[in-house]
Amino acid sequence: MTRTRIAVIIVIITFAIAAADYFFGIHTISSVEYELNQAVSCLNKGDEQQSKVHAQKAEENWNKCSNIIMFFNTHEKTDDIDVSLNIAVADITYHNADLFREEVQRTLVLLEHMKEAEYPLPENVL
């Protein structure tokens, strides 16, 4: 009977950690996507300074949470997003609007792939 209780407790803890990872990861990815979309929107309106602020905010949001996300995902995925965000911020800092837009699109694709990997589907679990 004690083994059964311990097994049930372990399963509950495992599901709780998986659920926390899912909601935390989705929240972080969504906030970074939002800031990047706002950055591109500001750039399209001609406000490069505000675009830079949003890009830096996206990078800041990602950097605050990426270590926790790395705990549950491969380092390769998170590193690719890190590099892409750094390049995007550098592009907007040095007034390369076209390169910035391209890098933001690349980052958004990487974030979407990571978001898909967070969904509790059989292929993601196995």
Side-chain angles (χ1 to χ4, degrees):
M1 194 66 171
T2 304
R3 289 184 201 168
T4 306
R5 288 182 186 160
I6 291 173
V8 168
I9 291 170
I10 290 172
V11 168
I12 290 171
I13 290 171
T14 302
F15 278 115
I17 290 172
D21 167 50
Y22 172 75
F23 289 113
F24 181 77
I26 294 297
H27 177 342
T28 300
I29 291 168
S30 294
S31 72
V32 172
E33 286 175 332
Y34 173 79
E35 291 296 337
L36 289 175
N37 286 323
Q38 289 297 312
V40 171
S41 177
C42 288
L43 188 61
N44 291 339
K45 293 175 185 173
D47 191 354
E48 193 172 300
Q49 187 61 32
Q50 193 62 28
S51 179
K52 180 180 174 183
V53 169
H54 282 290
Q56 289 172 335
K57 179 83 170 156
E59 184 181 35
E60 180 183 313
N61 289 347
W62 178 256
N63 287 337
K64 281 194 293 188
C65 302
S66 65
N67 289 335
I68 297 168
I69 291 174
M70 254 193 262
F71 185 72
F72 295 102
N73 292 291
T74 64
H75 291 271
E76 183 179 315
K77 288 180 183 180
T78 55
D79 289 345
D80 288 345
I81 294 170
D82 279 336
V83 169
S84 189
L85 278 171
N86 289 334
I87 291 171
V89 170
D91 286 340
I92 196 64
T93 300
Y94 294 110
H95 311 290
N96 295 324
D98 292 333
L99 293 176
F100 174 73
R101 284 185 185 96
E102 289 175 19
E103 200 60 42
V104 166
Q105 287 305 313
R106 181 177 182 276
T107 305
L108 290 172
V109 168
L110 291 170
L111 289 168
E112 187 61 35
H113 288 304
M114 182 169 277
K115 191 187 290 187
E116 288 172 4
E118 291 289 321
Y119 294 135
L121 301 173
E123 59 265 16
N124 293 340
V125 174
L126 302 175

